Amino acid sequence: LDLGEPSTFLTKAVNPPSALAIKNSLQLLEGLGAIDVDWSKGGSASIANSKASTDDDASPDASTLNVNSGLTPLGFHLATLPVDPKIGKMMIYGALFNCVDTALTIAASMSARNPFMSPFDKRDEADAARQEFSTEESDHLTT
C-alpha cells in the first residue's frame, strides 16, 4: 500500500495507538519474519524516554516511536491474507511444504472460538453436554 512508516501513518488515525502497542506489533511481525525493522533510530530509547516524561496514566503516542521497517517477501504475502499473521504464516508454509489440508484444518480450528463456551452459571450443564461427545478415541476438543 506504500503508506510509509507505521508509526508515522498511525499518528493520523482518529484514535492513534500508543508507541508501546506499535512497538509490540512491530516486534511480533519481525519475529514472524514479515518485516525487517531497524531499531537504531531510537525506537526503544524514545519509548523509554517518553514514558519517563509522561504521567503514570498516559502512554506515549505513536509519534514518539521512530524506526525504519520494510516488508519482507513473506510479509507481502501475509498482508494479502485476511487472517491473523501467525495463522497466515502457517497457511503459507503449509502450501510450501505440501501439507495444505492439514495446515488449513489447524488454521481453521485456531481461528474459530471454542465451540464449548458457556455462561459461568451454566458451566456444569455445559460440561455434562460435552462429556456426551467424549469417547476413548476422542480428540482434544472433547476431552
Side-chain angles (χ1 to χ4, degrees):
L1 295 174
D2 199 25
L3 298 173
E5 288 303 312
S7 56
T8 305
F9 171 73
L10 291 171
T11 58
K12 300 172 186 167
V14 174
N15 188 8
S18 69
L20 182 60
I22 294 174
K23 178 180 177 267
N24 289 341
S25 299
L26 290 174
Q27 286 177 333
L28 170 74
L29 293 172
E30 184 180 32
L32 288 172
I35 59 173
D36 289 323
V37 181
D38 177 16
W39 299 101
S40 64
K41 287 183 72 178
S44 298
S46 65
I47 290 174
N49 292 340
S50 64
K51 276 189 177 179
S53 65
T54 59
D55 30 70
D56 293 336
D57 295 331
S59 60
D61 64 3
S63 63
T64 63
L65 184 63
N66 192 16
V67 297
N68 284 328
S69 63
L71 280 178
T72 63
L74 174 63
F76 176 80
H77 291 291
L78 288 175
T80 63
L81 295 174
V83 296
D84 180 82
K86 293 177 189 175
I87 293 172
K89 183 175 179 179
M90 184 187 332
M91 292 166 56
I92 290 170
Y93 274 64
L96 291 173
F97 292 123
N98 200 23
C99 55
V100 176
D101 291 340
T102 305
L104 291 179
T105 300
I106 294 169
S109 66
M110 289 176 62
S111 300
R113 69 181 192 95
N114 185 347
F116 298 106
M117 297 290 279
S118 60
F120 188 73
D121 59 335
K122 296 187 180 193
R123 182 103 29 205
D124 293 333
E125 291 176 37
D127 287 342
R130 186 175 61 164
Q131 287 300 324
E132 291 178 24
F133 294 105
S134 182
T135 65
E136 280 187 31
E137 302 85 34
S138 182
D139 60 10
H140 69 281
L141 292 175
T142 59
T143 57

